[in-house]
Amino acid sequence: MIITKKKDPNNILETVKKYDKFFLIGCSECASLCGTGNEEALQEMTDFLESNGKKVTGQLVPKTGCQTLGTKIELKKDKEACADADAVIVMSCGAGTQSATEIFKDKPVYPSNDSLFLGNMTRFQMFDERCSLCGECVIGKTAGICPLTNCPKGLLVGPCGGMSDGKCEVSPDVPCAWVRIYERQKSLDNLDEMKEVLEPKDWSAGQKPGNLSTRSEKKEEKK
Amino acid sequence: MNFKEALESGKFTVTAEVGPPKGTDITEMLHHIDLLKGKIDAANVTDNQSAVMRINSLSVCKIAMDKGLEPILQMTCRDRNRIGLQSDLLGASILGVHNVLCMTGDHTSAGDHKEAKTVYDIESVQLLNVVNNLNSGKDMMGNELKGPTSFYQGAVVTPEANPVEPQLMKFEKKVNAGANFFQTQAIYDIDKFKGFMDFARKFDVKVLAGFVVLKSAGMANFLNKFVPGITVPQELIDELKEAGKEKALDAGMNICARQIKQLKDEKICDGVHIMAIGMEDKVPEIMERAGLL
């Protein structure tokens, strides 16, 4: 899921200072699990804005904020509240925020969160990054552990000289990704896989902005 | 005899470091170059060492060469993508810099521009492969070069890494990628180092043992605590302590010289790499004490 963190509300207030009335949009998926875009977070934002002399005309926690069409349909019932607002504050990730940018053609849209990474939830509201969405997965050759993400240098061929007692030089509390890979390959009796030198990464596989259509040809024909 | 010839001939080879300064006043650096030339076989010119922004390695390599000190261009993968690295390697080649040390490079978080974007488009083993390609007249995409390079390429290794197995596997990958010589992280325990050399001797590569001169017991404790892959044995720390504050540096130089002499006399490795870290002026004296001058 996409991991988000709340921005400092005072910074948000400064960014939107020229507007008075806001419509708030959260998200019931990732941002709800992160506690940044659920009903509670939206209420907290409403209270904050109102205590600073602003008005909240309405709010919605759509099912999936980044699903542009679905969110647009869900917003139909809030047509008046939306029309009444000077601006929209989106309390999900950068993708959800840009769905709103697309939906609200005539209103400014502001994010209330910083989007951090694609995360795994290790415990309730505790998240770790495991995948960088690089466009060409290599973990079939690295014991199911992504060195591109788990090593701050993203090294594909083995540990650097900064590894110390199995820990990373950048974050001494974090185990070295390549020591983890080594230990797992060893326990799986797969050390020969570690002898392969991976080719330099093809970064063009992850060129921005990404786009993909998985619509079948049949569907396209019907259309 | 140049650096490559010295190493390949079996001469006990000595390298040291020239650290480009931060700023355009290079008076002190020029003084260090003068002190080292004619004494050591070649000098590594560091590449924004510890991720601290300084003069680039290549410019200083050229200056050292013009002053008669053979340079080893250190190249890290932290600051340049594959286009920048290859382009700088071609540039080094036309300037007559033919020794290159391929490294991954300290992370930006260690340096003075922590907000910088790290690159690491490729890393040390892949960079060695790139140098091979350039030497054979092709860039890393296989495009034909108008004139090949002729680099003598080396790499680094940390013999006392813990755990050491993944480090040794990477060492082997570097050998297979064409590394001709290795300079090691600082070592202080010759017996342990012999163990590493038993492994390294299986391969057709030259190994220069790394030395960081100990200035005090405090410095030794600092290295043990904060520098990955360095272990200063307690008996050496005691030796520095016994020497007293004023004589500690002298004792540190003696330790360094004694260990270098042992490596040479017992033919344990092919040479040494002395990282003086601000005490370049002591390098000739250490070499004298080790019987190398």
Side-chain angles (χ1 to χ4, degrees), chain B residues 58 73 88-98 135 148-151:
Chain B
L58 183 52
L73 175 73
D88 282 357
L89 282 165
L90 292 180
S93 194
I94 60 162
L95 289 175
V97 176
H98 297 300
N135 279 352
T149 59
S150 54
F151 285 111

Side-chain angles (χ1 to χ4, degrees), chain A residues 6-221:
Chain A
K6 290 174 186 169
K7 283 178 181 285
D8 179 342
N10 291 310
N11 287 350
I12 299 172
L13 201 61
E14 175 62 23
T15 311
V16 301
K17 63 183 173 193
K18 59 179 177 177
Y19 303 108
D20 295 317
K21 293 182 288 180
F22 301 92
F23 187 84
L24 308 183
I25 299 178
C27 178
S28 79
E29 306 244 14
C30 316
S32 279
L33 280 163
C34 292
T36 55
N38 50 357
E39 295 285 358
E40 198 185 341
L42 265 67
Q43 190 54 51
E44 189 184 298
M45 179 61 79
T46 301
D47 293 345
F48 175 76
L49 290 169
E50 286 178 354
S51 70
N52 283 283
K54 306 287 186 187
K55 198 181 165 216
V56 174
T57 63
Q59 62 182 59
L60 172 75
V61 177
K63 188 180 173 304
T64 311
C66 60
Q67 210 223 26
T68 311
L69 207 58
T71 302
K72 194 175 179 178
I73 292 165
E74 280 186 74
L75 277 166
K76 275 186 180 163
K77 65 179 169 56
D78 295 304
K79 206 175 162 188
E80 279 175 22
C82 288
D84 196 25
D86 303 325
V88 179
I89 294 177
V90 184
M91 303 178 61
S92 59
C93 64
T97 307
Q98 290 179 73
S99 276
T101 304
E102 215 172 310
I103 295 166
F104 292 91
K105 302 220 183 309
D106 57 349
K107 283 190 205 302
V109 171
Y110 295 95
S112 72
N113 296 330
D114 288 318
S115 302
L116 303 178
F117 52 87
L118 172 62
N120 293 33
M121 189 154 96
T122 49
R123 283 187 195 175
F124 181 62
Q125 293 194 345
M126 282 176 72
F127 309 97
D128 279 345
E129 187 178 18
R130 302 267 191 264
C131 169
S132 303
L133 302 170
C134 70
E136 195 186 47
C137 193
V138 299
I139 68 176
K141 293 185 169 178
T142 56
I145 295 166
C146 177
L148 217 62
T149 309
N150 290 281
C151 164
K153 297 179 184 176
L155 302 185
L156 289 177
V157 192
C160 71
M163 183 273 292
S164 181
D165 294 331
K167 297 292 196 298
C168 174
E169 72 168 335
V170 177
S171 325
D173 299 329
V174 176
C176 167
W178 275 101
V179 171
R180 284 177 58 205
I181 292 168
Y182 167 75
E183 278 167 0
R184 188 167 160 86
Q185 293 291 38
K186 195 176 163 188
S187 73
L188 297 172
D189 201 18
N190 257 343
L191 272 181
D192 54 319
E193 277 188 10
M194 205 171 139
K195 288 183 179 151
E196 185 184 344
V197 175
L198 297 187
E199 289 293 310
K201 183 86 188 145
D202 174 6
W203 291 108
S204 71
Q207 192 172 308
K208 310 277 180 204
N211 62 73
L212 173 74
S213 170
T214 54
R215 294 170 78 118
S216 67
E217 279 172 24
K218 250 187 200 168
K219 252 187 192 165
E220 290 293 334
E221 275 166 26

Side-chain angles (χ1 to χ4, degrees), chain A residues 152-153 155-166 169-170 178-179 182 191 194-203, chain B residues 82 104-107 109 118-123 125-126 129 140 158 161-163 165-167 169-170 173 185 227-229:
Chain A
K153 297 179 184 176
L155 302 185
L156 289 177
V157 192
C160 71
M163 183 273 292
S164 181
D165 294 331
E169 72 168 335
V170 177
W178 275 101
V179 171
Y182 167 75
L191 272 181
M194 205 171 139
K195 288 183 179 151
E196 185 184 344
V197 175
L198 297 187
E199 289 293 310
K201 183 86 188 145
D202 174 6
W203 291 108
Chain B
R82 60 191 81 181
T104 296
D106 295 322
H107 194 267
S109 61
T118 54
V119 181
Y120 302 115
D121 182 20
I122 57 173
E123 53 78 82
V125 177
Q126 294 163 341
N129 281 326
M140 68 183 285
T158 306
N162 176 34
E165 294 84 355
Q167 179 71 204
M169 288 178 89
K170 192 154 182 177
K173 286 176 180 177
Q185 174 61 291
V227 183

